[in-house]
Amino acid sequence: MTCASCSSRVQKKLNRLDGVEAVVNLPLNSAHVEVSSDVTDEDLIAVVEKTGYGASVQSFEDPADEPDLASRFRTRLIVSAILGAPVIAISMVMSWHFPGWHWLILALSLPVVTWGAWPFHEAAFKAARGFSSTMDTLISVGVITATLYSLWTVFAQAAAGNWVLPHNAHVWFEAAVAVTVFLLAGRVLEHRAKSNATKALRELINLGSKEALLVETDADGQVTERTIAADQLRVGDVFRVRPGETIAADGTVVGGTSAVDESMLTGESAPVEVTEDSKVTGATMNTSGTLTVRADRVGSDTTLAEMSRLVARAQTGKPAAQRIADSISAVFVPTILGIAVLTLLGWGIFGGDWIYGLHAAITVVVIACPCALGLATPTALAVSSGRGSQLGILVSGPEAMEAARTLDTVVLDKTGTVTEGRMRVVSHDLTPDDLALAAAAEGASEHPISRAVVQAASHIDEAEAGSDSPVSVSREVTDFANISGGGITATVDGHKVLVGSSALLADQGVSVPEVDDHPAATEVAVAVDGEFRGRAWVADTIKNSAKPAIDELHELGLRAVLLTGDNPVSAQAVADAIGIDEVHAGVKPEDKYAHVQALQAEGRSVAMVGDGVNDAAALAGADLGVAMGTGTDVAIAASDITLMRSDPQQIPQAIRLSHRTVRSIKQNLFWAFIYNVLAVPIAVSGKLDPMIAGAAMAFSSVFVVLNSLRLLRFK
């Protein structure tokens, strides 16, 4: 499918089947079909094939690889540009018209207007077979008409003995070639953006473990372990998960304790402590101890598979953006063709000059051939993308630009978006010596909170700590152990160090005083030799540019919403600090998507900003998905805009760039159509000289390019 009318035609055909409700997505070249009757997959495929397209059933668990259409068009573009450059140059520079020049450009043009333009001819034929027209119809008709007229002129003059083209004879090979090359460049940009659409599903599925360590017990009670493919696991199977490994399926812990990194699910950086009977999710990471897990949900029933379905459903359900040129072509194309036919008949019947009428009719088609129209969107997009990449803003295509223009609500994930996504000690009341002892004990742990304590201790000023401080001497650490419930114990230079929550220290017999005023952060209490020494508070810190970014969003008239899987206290503290009034905390991945849908149901145009796998469905389902560049590949693939610097201030900057780009595209399209509106009547009168027509087409294209280049000044 190449334009909005293609997807619309396929959707109408599918929806005519009894009990079928289909939504066809142009960017994804896919359809989400719900069937409530006995219609089979083969029936659906047959309908699509009768419409002139191919189809196959796609599995969410094993998405088919999309053909590399961008590469296919790129090859045609490169060859056509190499052959077309001399054609355009020789044709437009009169002093280069050496004897027989037209034979050279004829030879160079034929591969371009046939093989190079074949995708346009093929699409036009499919549209005609379905009794409709698209912009490809006008491109194809224009290229074919200009080529046939030029061939007729060359061979007619040759038949008359004029092997050197007379000055009153004109060929329009350069018009056909230029249109082909420009439009191929546009298609390369378009398909490059489309190719990322199904990447989100592949990246999401690749998060899952490929292998599982199956634990089997024979009749004699002997336990054996063997490695199997993760997709061979069955409900009730028991498997082992070692530190650093990915959990192979959703299940229940039947042995062991550990901290599990669920950031792919919740987006939060702090791992979750799990013990026997705790539920764990497939594709999450086991960070410390060894776990034995009983599989509860496997294959297509896992949380990961459900998230895959959420992303796919959100992408397919996104309304296909009807590009301005394609929507106008529904009227423009048949109108131009009708004018050309009426011009021929008018001159032939009423003027008595069929040859002159043919000349005028061909002029109408050629002058209306959408060279500037073809440049309007891809040129502005190319310049905008280039400027955006300089600023660290990567935009997928014109649909994202159009979506950004109508936004009124921006939903932001917390961790990694407005916060750093790394745990840090935000305050503590420990002495340098006690902090250093705690850091030495925590040094053997890979837990993010442990790493935060170690990092805080590394910044202690040695002069402050004293020459006898543990900071300045390598510590001897022995008897390190994780404590179930979220803590550690170790012996550091003969001192028994206990680190964990106040409740854990109390359970270990340490008297811990209560504290009334503390930051919205995770508590880390420290005891040395059974005596309470103080607390550190660990939290994910807010990015410095978060508040200015929210202020700028408000200045743009946009409503900001914080949506996070974190606890309400931490979420509200972050929101208060950066100026967000609306907060939704403790939100699961499927609930994030539901929140976005609820806002859209209110009539709002919603942008979702996130960086984690848990944000992927919401990113895909929002009117505009914005991913932070330091986020996961899944989030980036599911988004429309990627912010490479992961700076919150790039969010309003990307929206402003989108506004400017859409404005440039509209200006380009306005000029292109005004050019046609003014030029076509002159062509109908037969008073338009072909060289003037060629110059007008060139000027129209140059105007579009120069107008697009103004985007390079965007800041």
Side-chain angles (χ1 to χ4, degrees):
M1 298 185 295
T2 60
C3 70
S5 60
C6 299
S7 57
S8 176
R9 188 164 63 254
V10 174
Q11 183 169 307
K12 286 179 182 178
K13 294 286 187 182
L14 287 172
N15 285 328
R16 285 176 184 171
L17 294 174
D18 291 335
V20 172
E21 189 171 329
V23 177
V24 177
N25 186 291
L26 174 62
L28 285 181
N29 282 322
S30 66
H32 179 73
V33 184
E34 295 182 5
V35 181
S36 58
S37 62
D38 57 356
V39 174
T40 64
D41 292 342
E42 290 72 21
D43 295 332
L44 297 172
I45 292 173
V47 168
V48 175
E49 289 176 343
K50 286 180 181 178
T51 313
Y53 302 92
S56 60
V57 177
Q58 182 174 325
S59 166
F60 290 123
E61 287 74 29
D62 186 22
D65 290 335
E66 292 294 318
D68 189 1
L69 295 177
S71 176
R72 170 187 156 199
F73 277 97
R74 190 182 303 115
T75 302
R76 294 180 189 270
L77 171 61
I78 293 172
V79 174
S80 297
I82 292 172
L83 294 176
V87 171
I88 297 171
I90 293 172
S91 298
M92 300 304 292
V93 181
M94 299 295 291
S95 60
W96 291 0
H97 288 189
F98 54 85
W101 64 275
H102 54 292
W103 291 103
L104 174 62
I105 67 169
L106 183 154
L108 293 174
S109 299
L110 284 180
V112 177
V113 299
T114 52
W115 176 78
W118 183 252
F120 308 116
H121 301 320
E122 185 178 31
F125 173 73
K126 287 179 178 178
R129 199 167 60 179
F131 301 102
S132 64
S133 61
T134 67
M135 194 58 74
D136 288 322
T137 304
L138 197 56
I139 295 167
S140 179
V141 170
V143 169
I144 291 173
T145 304
T147 302
L148 291 178
Y149 177 80
S150 300
L151 288 172
W152 177 79
T153 300
V154 169
F155 287 111
Q157 292 296 327
N162 297 324
W163 293 96
V164 176
L165 199 66
H167 291 294
N168 62 345
H170 302 284
V171 291
W172 293 333
F173 288 117
E174 80 283 357
V177 167
V179 168
T180 300
V181 172
F182 287 139
L183 269 296
L184 283 173
R187 289 295 165 84
V188 169
L189 290 173
E190 176 185 341
H191 287 293
R192 186 181 299 166
K194 284 184 181 180
S195 67
N196 291 326
T198 56
K199 184 180 177 183
L201 284 178
R202 297 192 200 97
E203 295 289 353
L204 192 55
I205 291 170
N206 285 337
L207 287 175
S209 177
K210 302 297 184 291
E211 295 179 339
L213 186 61
L214 184 66
V215 179
E216 296 176 307
T217 304
D218 60 21
D220 298 329
Q222 185 173 357
V223 178
T224 58
E225 297 179 356
R226 63 186 178 94
T227 300
I228 63 171
D231 57 10
Q232 293 179 1
L233 276 176
R234 298 293 178 264
V235 174
D237 284 349
V238 176
F239 59 95
R240 194 101 61 201
V241 188
R242 293 168 293 208
E245 292 183 341
T246 301
I247 298 174
D250 295 0
T252 303
V253 176
V254 294
T257 61
S258 182
V260 175
D261 181 359
E262 295 186 343
S263 59
M264 63 78 63
L265 183 67
T266 65
E268 302 312 314
S269 51
V272 176
E273 301 295 333
V274 296
T275 59
E276 191 169 336
D277 294 330
S278 296
K279 297 290 184 180
V280 291
T281 305
T284 55
M285 179 71 70
N286 180 25
T287 63
S288 50
T290 299
L291 295 174
T292 304
V293 181
R294 182 182 65 248
D296 296 335
R297 297 195 298 171
V298 299
S300 61
D301 295 327
T302 62
T303 301
L304 179 64
E306 179 58 30
M307 291 174 68
S308 298
R309 284 190 285 271
L310 271 175
V311 173
R313 193 174 302 124
Q315 286 185 330
T316 305
K318 186 185 293 186
Q322 296 201 359
R323 292 172 295 180
I324 300 173
D326 273 321
S327 60
I328 294 176
S329 71
V331 176
F332 181 74
V333 174
T335 299
I336 291 298
L337 294 177
I339 291 173
V341 172
L342 290 175
T343 300
L344 173 61
L345 295 176
W347 279 101
I349 296 173
F350 301 106
D353 191 340
W354 289 95
I355 297 299
Y356 196 81
L358 179 62
H359 180 280
I362 292 173
T363 305
V364 169
V365 175
V366 172
I367 199 69
C369 200
C371 187
L373 281 175
L375 285 170
T377 296
T379 305
L381 180 60
V383 176
S384 173
S385 298
R387 181 56 183 154
S389 64
Q390 292 174 343
L391 299 171
I393 300 169
L394 303 183
V395 184
S396 64
E399 293 87 354
M401 301 286 187
E402 291 168 9
R405 183 179 57 85
T406 60
L407 291 177
D408 55 27
T409 302
V410 179
V411 177
L412 302 106
D413 175 50
K414 180 179 75 70
T415 306
T417 301
V418 296
T419 65
E420 296 288 352
R422 294 188 301 273
M423 305 296 280
R424 292 182 182 177
V425 173
V426 293
S427 68
H428 68 87
D429 57 8
L430 296 163
T431 66
D433 288 356
D434 290 335
L435 179 59
L437 283 171
E442 295 273 32
S445 173
E446 290 300 317
H447 198 289
I449 291 179
S450 300
R451 290 197 293 268
V453 173
V454 172
Q455 182 184 33
S458 69
H459 294 156
I460 296 175
D461 186 89
E462 290 194 8
E464 176 190 357
S467 59
D468 295 331
S469 164
V471 175
S472 58
V473 181
S474 177
R475 302 287 89 196
E476 180 183 356
V477 180
T478 58
D479 301 328
F480 174 85
N482 281 299
I483 301 176
S484 176
I488 62 100
T489 182
T491 301
V492 181
D493 281 352
H495 297 284
K496 185 175 179 59
V497 180
L498 178 63
V499 183
S501 65
S502 292
L504 184 139
L505 266 63
D507 289 343
Q508 299 293 320
V510 178
S511 177
V512 182
E514 294 185 1
V515 60
D516 296 326
D517 187 23
H518 63 82
T522 300
E523 176 199 37
V524 179
V526 179
V528 179
D529 295 329
E531 178 186 349
F532 176 77
R533 295 294 180 90
R535 294 178 173 88
W537 299 97
V538 179
D540 188 4
T541 54
I542 298 172
K543 292 180 179 179
N544 293 331
S545 59
K547 188 175 186 339
I550 300 303
D551 291 342
E552 190 172 352
L553 288 175
H554 289 156
E555 289 173 6
L556 290 171
L558 299 172
R559 166 189 176 190
V561 178
L562 189 66
L563 199 62
T564 177
D566 204 355
N567 66 78
V569 175
S570 297
Q572 190 62 54
V574 170
D576 292 341
I578 62 179
I580 294 180
D581 297 326
E582 185 174 347
V583 181
H584 300 279
V587 181
K588 296 179 181 178
E590 57 270 26
D591 292 336
K592 286 190 176 185
Y593 180 31
H595 274 84
V596 169
Q597 285 185 310
L599 288 169
Q600 290 172 325
E602 295 175 6
R604 293 189 169 273
S605 181
V606 181
M608 174 69 197
V609 187
D611 72 328
V613 174
N614 62 308
D615 302 317
L619 285 167
D623 297 283
L624 181 72
V626 182
M628 309 304 276
T630 54
T632 63
D633 290 341
V634 174
I636 292 172
S639 67
D640 303 301
I641 296 177
T642 302
L643 308 179
M644 298 308 295
R645 295 206 309 267
S646 294
D647 181 353
Q649 280 196 292
Q650 286 189 298
I651 300 168
Q653 187 180 36
I655 293 172
R656 289 190 292 106
L657 176 61
S658 298
H659 289 179
R660 285 280 302 276
T661 305
V662 171
R663 190 183 312 138
S664 293
I665 291 173
K666 286 190 170 183
Q667 291 168 348
N668 291 347
L669 288 169
F670 173 78
W671 169 256
F673 278 107
I674 284 295
Y675 155 77
N676 280 289
V677 168
L678 297 177
V680 168
I682 303 174
V684 170
S685 70
K687 295 180 180 179
L688 186 62
D689 183 89
M691 289 309 297
I692 295 176
M697 284 182 63
F699 177 75
S700 177
S701 300
V702 169
F703 176 87
V704 165
V705 173
L706 291 177
N707 187 52
S708 298
L709 289 175
R710 293 194 303 142
L711 289 167
L712 291 174
R713 298 200 298 266
F714 174 82
K715 293 182 180 179

